[in-house]
Amino acid sequence: MFEFFKGFGVTFSTMFKKVVTEEYPEDFPPAAPRYHGRHQLNRHPDGLEKCVGCELCAWACPADAIYVEGGDNTEEQRFSPGERYGAIYQINYLRCIGCGLCVEACPTRSLTMTNFYEMADDDRQNLIYTKEQLLAPLLPGMEQPPHPMRLGDHEQDYYVQGPSLAKANPLTDPVGEQVR
C-alpha cells in the first residue's frame, strides 16, 4: 500500500501549486540573446549586398539546407562590391538544424542569424526562404541595388579598410596618425 502513495507522490505534490500560463500569441517570451533563429543576409551602409556568392555557407551546412548560385557583377548591374554576388540564395528550413556553421563559414560576414523563431507554416513550400525574404531591410540612407559603389572605388574599400575608412588615407588610422 505504501508503494501506491509513493508512486503518486509527484502528482500529489504538484496538484495544489499555482499554474503558470504564458499568453503566447499575444505576449512573445523573449529569446535568449545568442539564440540561433532565422538567417539574415546583411548589407553594406550604401545598400549593396555583402554576399559575394562564394557558396562556402552551402558547403559548410551539414544538413544540405542552403543553395547558392553566384552571378557576375557588371558596371551597369552591381549588386555587391566584388566581382560576384549571390544571384540565387535559398535556405530550406525543413532541413536546417540551426547549428550556425554557415555563419562561421561566411568570409564577408554577410550571413547572420537573428532571434526570430516563429517560422512554422502548414505549407512546405513557404519554408524555403529565398534571397528576397532573407535580405536585411533597407535602412535610411541606403539605396536599392543595383547601383555603383558609393563607399570607394574598389572592393578593398568595403572589405579590407571598412566603410568608415573608405575615403581616408590607407596609411593613417582613423584619428589621422601615421601607421608604422
Side-chain angles (χ1 to χ4, degrees), residues 169-180:
N169 184 357
L171 298 177
T172 60
D173 66 0
V175 182
E177 298 175 3
Q178 189 71 23
V179 177
R180 298 175 194 204

Side-chain angles (χ1 to χ4, degrees), residues 4 65 93 110 148 176:
F4 176 76
Y93 280 104
S110 167

